[in-house]
C-alpha cells in the first residue's frame, strides 16, 4: 500500500517571466495547480505572471483557468478549489528591455517569503532579466532564479551566460532546468541503482555488454522550426536530456543524495566521455510522408542540413566503463513516442547446458515513457519434457499497476521541479560546470561534421531512423531494441 506524504512548502512569491507563453500555459500553470490540489501550496503562496501585454489580474486568472482546463484534457475542475487557486495568481505587465513595469512588480513582492523568478522566456532575454532584477533591487541573496533550456548554444555562449548570471546570483541561487531530471522514472534510475544491492555489483564493464538509450518522438518540428533548425537533435536533446540519462546510469554512487554530491559524480562522467569520432555518429532528417510534411518544410528551410535524428556510440574512459559502449539515439517523427534505457548484460562465462540455442542475454530495461516501468529478461527452463531447453521470460513491472490501486498518477516533471525550487533543493538541477562540460563534449563533434560538410541522411516518417543508424550497432554484432509504445 502506498502512502504519499504531502508536506506543504514554505510561503512563496513565484514570478513567472513569460507568464503568458507556451511553457507557462502548457506546463507551469497546470503543474502549480496540481500541486495546489495535492495540498502542497500554502495559503499565502502567490504566483505573479509577467509579460509585456497589458492585462489585469482577472484576465490572467482567466488565461490560467483555460490553460488548466486544456492541460486536464478539458475535464471540468471542482469550481471552489479552482477559484481558490486562481485567487493566488496575479499579473504585472513589464517590458523586460525597458523601465516600464518593474516598480509595479516590486510593489507586489513580499518580504519574508521565498522569492523565485522563473525565466520562461527566449534565451536572449536571460541576461537582461538578471540585470534588471538586480538594477531594480528585486533580487536579494535569497532570491532564486529558474532558467529554462536551451542554456547556451555552444560552450562559449554557455560560459558567457554563466558569467552574466554569476554577476548577480550565486550558484546556489541558480536553478537550471532539465525537465528530464524531474521525470519520475528518471529519478527512479537512481532509486533502482542505489537503493538495491542487486544491480550494483554487476553495473560495470565486466558484466554489462552495452547500454542503449532511446528517446523517440513521433511528432515533427512544425511550429518551432525557427528554434529547432538552429539546434538540431544534438543540441536540443543529446547535450542535455540524453546526457543526463547517461550520467545517471554511468555515475558512481554519490555519498549522499545531495545536490553537489550527485552533481560532482555526473560531472566526472561527462569529463570521462571519449570524443565522438565521425564514424560513430549517424545523423538523419525526416522526409515527407503520406499526410505529413518533411523536415525542411516543417523547419521552413529548404536547404537545411540540421538533423532531426541522431544516433551515436559513446565510450566512457574510466575504470567502471572502459569497453562497454553506450548507444544513444533520439529523433522526431519516428515510429512511436517511446523512451527507454536498456542495460544488456554479458553472457555467462561458461555454458553448462547442452542446448544453448534459446539463450538470450539478460536485459534490464527501464521504460521512461509512456507506460513507465521496468522489465528484466531472464532465462528459464522451457516448461515440459524434452530435456533442458532454455527460454527467456520477462519479469515485468509496470509502475502504474505495481504502485497504486487503479494506477498511480505519475506527476509531471514540472510539479516536482518547481516545488524543489521553493524548497531550495538543487539536486535535480544542472550546475554551471556540468552544462559547460556537456557543451565541451558536444561542440567538437558538431565542428567535425560541419567541417566535413556532412549532410543528414533522409529517413521515412514512422520509421526507426536511417538504415545507417541500424548499421552502427550491427557492425558491432548488436542490435537496437524495437521502438514501440
Ligand atoms: C524538449 C525539446 O526539451 O524536450 C523538445 O526541446 C522535445 O524538442 C521535448 O520534444 C521532449 O520532452 P518530453 O517530456 O515530451 O519527452
Amino acid at each position: 500500500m502506498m502512502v504519499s506524504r504531502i508536506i506543504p512548502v514554505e510561503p512563496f512569491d513565484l514570478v513567472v517571466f513569460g507568464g503568458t507563453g507556451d511553457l507557462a500555459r502548457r506546463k507551469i500553470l497546470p503543474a502549480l495547480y496540481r500541486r495546489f490540489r495535492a495540498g502542497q501550496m500554502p495559503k499565502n503562496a502567490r504566483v505573479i505572471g509577467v509579460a509585456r501585454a497589458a492585462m489585469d489580474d482577472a484576465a490572467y486568472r482567466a488565461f490560467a483557468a483555460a490553460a488548466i482546463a486544456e492541460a486536464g484534457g478539458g475535464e471540468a475542475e471542482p469550481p471552489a478549489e479552482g477559484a481558490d487557486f486562481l485567487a493566488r495568481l496575479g499579473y504585472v505587465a513589464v517590458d523586460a528591455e525597458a523601465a516600464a513595469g518593474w516598480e509595479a512588480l516590486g510593489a507586489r513582492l513580499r518580504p519574508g517569503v521565498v522569492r523565485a523568478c522563473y525565466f520562461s522566456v527566449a534565451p536572449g532575454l536571460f541576461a537582461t532579466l538578471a540585470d534588471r532584477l538586480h538594477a531594480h533591487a528585486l533580487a536579494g541573496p535569497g532570491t532564486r532564479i529558474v532558467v529554462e533550456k536551451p542554456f547556451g548554444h555552444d560552450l562559449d555562449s554557455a560560459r558567457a551566460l554563466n558569467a552574466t548570471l554569476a554577476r548577480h546570483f550565486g550558484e546556489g541561487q541558480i536553478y537550471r532546468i532539465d525537465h528530464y531530471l524531474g521525470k519520475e522514472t528518471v529519478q527512479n534510475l537512481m532509486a533502482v541503482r542505489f537503493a538495491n544491492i542487486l544491480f550494483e555489483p554487476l553495473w560495470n564493464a565486466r558484466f554489462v555488454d552495452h547500454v542503449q538509450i532511446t528517446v523517440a518522438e513521433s511528432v515533427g518540428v512544425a511550429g518551432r522550426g525557427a528554434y529547432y533548425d538552429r539546434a538540431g537533435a544534438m543540441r536540443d536533446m543529446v547535450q542535455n536530456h540524453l546526457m543526463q540519462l547517461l550520467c545517471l546510469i554511468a555515475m558512481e554512487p554519490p555519498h549522499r543524495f545531495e545536490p553537489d554530491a550527485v552533481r560532482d559524480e555526473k560531472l566526472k562522467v561527462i569529463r570521462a566521455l571519449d570524443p565522438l569520432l565521425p564514424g560513430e555518429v549517424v545523423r538523419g532528417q525526416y522526409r515527407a510522408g503520406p499526410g505529413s510534411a518533411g523536415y525542411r518544410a516543417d523547419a521552413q528551410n529548404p536547404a537545411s542540413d540540421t538533423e532531426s535524428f541522431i544516433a551515436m556510440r559513446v565510450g566512457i574512459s574510466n575504470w567502471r566503463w572502459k569497453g562497454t559502449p553506450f548507444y544513444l539515439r533520439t529523433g522526431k517523427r519516428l515510429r512511436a513516442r517511446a523512451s527507454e534505457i536498456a542495460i544488456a548484460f554479458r553472457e555467462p562465462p561458461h555454458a553448462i547446458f547442452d542446448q544453448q540455442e534459446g539463450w538470450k542475454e539478460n536485459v534490464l530495461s527501464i521504460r521512461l515513457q509512456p507506460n513507465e516501468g521496468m522489465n528484466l529478461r531472464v532465462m528459464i527452463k522451457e516448461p515440459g519434457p524434452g530435456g533442458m531447453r532454455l527460454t527467456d521470460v520477462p519479469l515485468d513491472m509496470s509502475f502504474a499497476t505495481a504502485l497504486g490501486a487503479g494506477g498511480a498518477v505519475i506527476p509531471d516533471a514540472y510539479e516536482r521541479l518547481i516545488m524543489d525550487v521553493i524548497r531550495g533543493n538543487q539536486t535535480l538541477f544542472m550546475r554551471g560546470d556540468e552544462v559547460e562540460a556537456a557543451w565541451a563534449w558536444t561542440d567538437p563533434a558538431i565542428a567535425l561534421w560541419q567541417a566535413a560538410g556532412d549532410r543528414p541522411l533522409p529517413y521515412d516518417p514512422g520509421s526507426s531512423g536511417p538504415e545507417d543508424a541500424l548499421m552502427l550497432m550491427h557492425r558491432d554484432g548488436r542490435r537496437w531494441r524495437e521502438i514501440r509504445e
Side-chain angles (χ1 to χ4, degrees):
M1 163 79 169
M2 198 184 51
V3 183
S4 57
R5 276 182 313 141
I6 302 281
I7 304 168
V9 295
E10 280 178 58
F12 63 84
D13 282 341
L14 173 66
V15 182
V16 182
F17 290 98
T20 55
D22 191 53
L23 189 73
R25 185 173 58 79
R26 283 190 308 110
K27 296 286 185 185
I28 302 173
L29 290 166
L32 286 165
Y33 180 59
R34 284 193 292 268
R35 287 297 88 206
F36 167 79
R37 287 198 62 180
Q40 198 163 31
M41 204 187 275
K43 264 204 155 29
N44 42 4
R46 297 277 175 277
V47 178
I48 301 145
V50 170
R52 216 166 11 188
M55 196 189 278
D56 61 9
D57 288 350
Y60 192 62
R61 288 174 187 153
F63 169 83
I68 291 161
E70 195 186 326
E75 192 185 308
E77 301 290 349
E81 277 197 27
D84 259 7
F85 172 73
L86 295 176
R88 290 165 166 72
L89 305 189
Y91 180 85
V92 181
V94 173
D95 184 349
E97 288 174 293
W102 290 98
E103 213 170 299
L105 176 60
R108 293 280 186 111
L109 299 176
R110 302 166 297 169
V113 301
V114 171
R115 183 174 301 177
C117 298
Y118 198 130
F119 295 1
S120 173
V121 295
L125 280 178
F126 293 163
T128 314
L129 286 181
D131 284 341
R132 299 269 163 178
L133 279 171
H134 183 73
H136 293 275
L138 300 184
T143 304
R144 294 157 201 171
I145 57 168
V146 185
V147 187
E148 266 295 334
K149 69 168 279 223
F151 197 92
H153 180 75
D154 52 17
L155 179 57
D156 287 347
S157 52
R159 270 192 185 141
L161 181 53
N162 273 333
T164 309
L165 298 180
R167 285 212 299 268
H168 309 308
F169 299 95
E171 181 61 35
Q173 297 176 270
I174 306 173
Y175 290 72
R176 294 175 196 80
I177 286 214
D178 183 314
H179 80 282
Y180 266 58
L181 289 175
K183 288 184 191 273
E184 279 286 297
T185 29
V186 174
Q187 294 167 57
N188 232 328
L189 286 176
M190 287 182 277
V192 165
R193 281 197 61 195
F194 304 131
N196 296 289
I197 189 74
L198 211 54
F199 303 111
E200 198 50 28
L202 304 180
W203 213 261
N204 56 55
R206 201 170 147 214
F207 296 104
V208 176
D209 176 70
H210 73 276
V211 175
Q212 296 188 22
I213 303 179
T214 297
V215 178
E217 295 184 275
S218 50
V219 294
V221 302
R224 54 201 291 268
Y227 150 74
Y228 192 90
D229 204 46
R230 284 199 61 224
M234 184 69 149
R235 290 188 169 98
D236 183 52
M237 295 294 288
V238 177
Q239 185 271 346
N240 39 80
H241 306 325
L242 276 85
M243 180 71 62
Q244 291 295 324
L245 297 178
L246 180 146
C247 283
L248 296 182
I249 304 272
M251 73 185 192
E252 296 301 316
H255 74 281
R256 285 193 65 78
F257 190 58
E258 280 174 357
D260 281 337
V262 171
R263 299 185 299 178
D264 285 346
E265 296 305 338
K266 288 196 291 172
L267 182 62
K268 286 186 209 159
V269 173
I270 303 175
R271 291 195 171 145
L273 296 178
D274 294 340
L276 274 180
L277 303 174
E280 297 176 318
V281 181
V282 176
R283 296 160 67 233
Q285 195 184 64
Y286 61 84
R287 290 198 185 94
S292 68
Y295 173 82
R296 291 177 174 188
D298 277 350
Q300 297 181 322
N301 179 2
S304 174
D305 277 341
T306 300
E307 77 283 356
S308 60
F309 172 97
I310 193 163
M312 59 186 71
R313 181 180 55 197
V314 184
I316 305 179
S317 283
N318 63 20
W319 274 41
R320 189 189 278 264
W321 291 117
K322 186 81 186 179
T324 294
F326 282 59
Y327 298 90
L328 274 48
R329 70 178 160 168
T330 182
K332 307 279 185 197
R333 275 259 188 278
L334 297 175
R335 178 173 297 161
R337 175 172 187 258
S339 302
E340 66 160 33
I341 292 166
I343 319 288
F345 292 91
R346 293 192 192 280
E347 280 182 49
H350 166 63
I352 66 163
F353 302 111
D354 291 338
Q355 302 182 42
Q356 286 282 96
E357 312 89 67
W359 187 85
K360 292 209 181 75
E361 62 198 0
N362 295 128
V363 178
L364 173 69
S365 57
I366 301 161
R367 179 90 178 170
L368 304 181
Q369 61 191 27
N371 313 322
E372 293 82 351
M374 259 170 65
N375 180 307
L376 180 62
R377 207 162 67 189
V378 293
M379 297 309 300
I380 61 161
K381 175 191 171 300
E382 197 172 278
M388 188 55 117
R389 280 177 290 114
L390 302 178
T391 188
D392 68 315
V393 289
L395 289 180
D396 207 343
M397 189 178 99
S398 137
F399 292 150
T401 28
L403 297 182
V409 177
I410 297 191
D412 185 74
Y414 281 89
E415 296 180 44
R416 167 70 196 251
L417 294 177
I418 297 171
M419 290 299 115
D420 275 0
V421 172
I422 308 298
R423 286 193 204 95
N425 185 342
Q426 290 185 305
T427 309
L428 300 178
F429 295 83
M430 292 179 299
R431 210 167 52 192
D433 50 2
E434 218 185 310
V435 180
E436 290 184 14
W439 282 121
W441 177 78
T442 317
D443 279 1
I446 296 176
L448 270 181
W449 78 58
Q450 281 174 346
D454 174 81
R455 318 198 66 178
L457 303 163
Y459 62 93
D460 288 331
S463 69
S464 305
E467 281 287 310
D468 286 38
L470 305 181
M471 289 311 297
L472 188 69
M473 286 198 78
H474 281 184
R475 64 168 196 239
D476 292 350
R478 304 183 174 108
R479 53 178 27 221
W480 289 104
R481 290 160 60 84
E482 210 182 308
I483 297 177
R484 62 188 148 101
E485 290 222 339

